[in-house]
Amino acid sequence: MQPNLPVGLLKFVDDKDDFLSKAVMGAFHLSSIEYFQKNGGEKVKDPYEGIIKLKDDTISYKEIIEKYDNKAQAYITSFTLLYEDDFDTNGTIKKATLEKLCQTNNGEKRPAVIYNYETFIGHMETLISNNNTYYRYNHKYNLGNKIVKDEYDNEVVKDNHKHYTPIYTIYGNKVKYSDEPFRENKPDIIKGVEKSQDSENGVEFVTKYLKRALLIKNTLYSTQNEYRVLVTAFNLIPDEFSESIDLKAPLIPTKVNPSGTTRKNNHKSIGKVIANEDLDKLNKLDFLEI
């Protein structure tokens, strides 16, 4: 029996505000969890979204952020992983798989962007290894303090006492599906999050629980085969978070300077647009041709 290997990823994208062209370039649009939930989490309602199951209780990502004095936020976007078993012997997408995909599109006629699996994972590795380099975000502050630019051209607040430097971290992973509770208890987690604000490892500590809340889902949803990109943001002014952020596509070194060194001066597409009416013709070869 041959292993059921991943072929690629698919994401439905609104054809507005350049979202489609950006998605093709790997410049993904991420929503805050509140906005993601409000709009159904890729159009599939999940009442357990963002909740960690504990041995005697539950704790939500929202409680974690509140206990961190609301100086953190998380943003996500999701994709569907497609495997060998999702295609018939001719390489065409199976009807059952197509029906599941249409459920995530909630009856809408949005186009899809597809990605070759290996290319997509390589792109994510580039984004992660250059962690703070490829972001731009939409936060606007107006608190009577001076607005300055940090080294990544992000707007930050500077007053006579503090310089708030945003800390962003990006993760990409297949969602884990499990109903097993974690062994910690809620009071200990809350206490740890509150204390972490004054700790060198505070961001790492809080991020660990945000990842549990947002990258693990109930087995009820295991057929979704979801892959998520998660960005955590820290050291931002409470209540001044935007509903979304955009990842910048990394520059690809394609030219050589006279000195012999390469220059990063080009963007390379990593995806391909599939019209909604052509989804039933989707073939494994489409992923190889990207």
Side-chain angles (χ1 to χ4, degrees), residues 144-185:
N145 294 317
K146 183 180 179 181
I147 305 221
V148 298
K149 298 279 188 177
D150 69 6
E151 60 184 304
Y152 303 118
D153 203 36
N154 294 323
E155 290 183 342
V156 296
V157 175
K158 187 175 183 179
D159 58 26
N160 294 329
H161 306 289
K162 294 181 180 179
H163 184 186
Y164 298 94
T165 302
I167 299 172
Y168 288 91
T169 308
I170 181 171
Y171 306 91
N173 228 327
K174 179 182 177 181
V175 168
K176 179 181 177 181
Y177 299 98
S178 173
D179 296 324
E180 289 295 315
F182 287 94
R183 301 179 71 87
E184 295 111 310
N185 62 64

Side-chain angles (χ1 to χ4, degrees), residues 9-32:
L9 300 92
L10 181 146
K11 179 174 182 61
F12 289 107
V13 180
D14 291 327
D15 191 9
K16 64 178 184 179
D17 299 330
D18 297 324
F19 288 167
L20 201 58
S21 59
K22 289 178 181 178
V24 169
M25 303 302 295
F28 306 127
H29 182 78
L30 288 82
S31 301
S32 68

Side-chain angles (χ1 to χ4, degrees), residues 103-163:
Q103 288 175 4
T104 68
N105 209 11
N106 200 31
E108 296 182 30
K109 299 296 182 181
R110 294 184 297 170
V113 179
I114 62 170
Y115 306 89
N116 173 277
Y117 179 76
E118 297 296 338
T119 301
F120 183 92
I121 296 303
H123 179 75
M124 287 306 306
E125 289 174 350
T126 300
L127 287 175
I128 292 168
S129 65
N130 292 277
N131 189 41
N132 279 322
T133 306
Y134 300 130
Y135 303 126
R136 67 181 178 84
Y137 64 93
N138 308 317
H139 304 127
K140 299 296 181 183
Y141 302 127
N142 184 17
L143 302 179
N145 294 317
K146 183 180 179 181
I147 305 221
V148 298
K149 298 279 188 177
D150 69 6
E151 60 184 304
Y152 303 118
D153 203 36
N154 294 323
E155 290 183 342
V156 296
V157 175
K158 187 175 183 179
D159 58 26
N160 294 329
H161 306 289
K162 294 181 180 179
H163 184 186

